[in-house]
Amino acid sequence: SKVAVDVGQLIVVAMSGSSCGDAELSEHTICDATMLGWRGPASGSAPVLLPKTFSPGESAPEERPKAGRSAATIDKLGNSDASEGVEALFVSKPKATKEEKEIAKLEKAAAKGDAKAATKLQHIHLRKKIAARRAAGEEVFTDDELEAAGLEAL
């Protein structure tokens, strides 16, 4: 029979020649909770899904893993590290700087055909290049760079 399992989910597979309960299996078999002797509400013919704290190749657990709880790992010093396997509740993205917000606003305006915004955007990009060259130790004059780019000072 065919069973739908999402890519990346961990399931229990009994390899051919292994024993499950009193029976020896002659082919690879996807295990369900009943085959593993697990009792509980989700016993049936659906494949056993394991939490991401398990690694491929590990033996199947004796009991059904508790839902929503990840096993804490122990480091070399014996300290419990519960952060592994804990997923963030809130995903935050870094806040844009004032300059990044201004650049985004000018890019939108320039895309709509605003020539003044396009010129100002060119000035900002040129100033960033000049700052990078100065940080690298090069002597750069802003007026000369503006003139070379065909821009006038604002």
Side-chain angles (χ1 to χ4, degrees):
S1 69
K2 293 184 180 183
V3 179
V5 177
D6 293 333
V7 173
Q9 284 187 313
L10 299 176
I11 60 173
V12 177
V13 177
M15 306 305 281
S16 60
S18 62
S19 59
C20 194
D22 293 335
E24 187 171 318
L25 302 172
S26 60
E27 57 184 24
H28 301 319
T29 306
I30 295 176
C31 298
D32 59 20
T34 308
M35 287 176 72
L36 295 173
W38 294 355
R39 309 256 184 271
S43 296
S45 62
V48 170
L49 301 177
L50 297 173
K52 294 184 180 193
T53 55
F54 286 88
S55 299
E58 282 187 48
S59 297
E62 296 292 323
E63 298 176 349
R64 178 187 315 275
K66 300 219 186 305
R69 295 186 183 244
S70 60
T73 57
I74 307 293
D75 65 8
K76 291 179 183 177
L77 299 174
N79 298 319
S80 176
D81 179 21
S83 65
E84 188 176 311
V86 175
E87 295 181 24
L89 294 176
F90 302 100
V91 177
S92 61
K93 51 185 176 178
K95 289 189 174 187
T97 64
K98 191 175 185 180
E99 184 181 35
E100 290 170 338
K101 289 177 184 177
E102 182 182 9
I103 290 172
K105 184 174 112 180
L106 289 171
E107 284 174 343
K108 281 184 181 179
K112 291 181 181 177
D114 187 352
K116 187 176 177 182
T119 303
K120 191 167 183 179
L121 189 60
Q122 286 178 327
H123 274 269
I124 290 173
H125 286 302
L126 185 62
R127 278 189 260 141
K128 287 177 103 176
K129 287 179 186 175
I130 292 170
R133 288 173 58 191
R134 285 183 180 152
E138 189 177 337
E139 185 178 19
V140 183
F141 297 101
T142 305
D143 292 338
D144 293 342
E145 295 299 317
L146 285 170
E147 190 177 310
L151 298 171
E152 295 180 16
L154 291 177

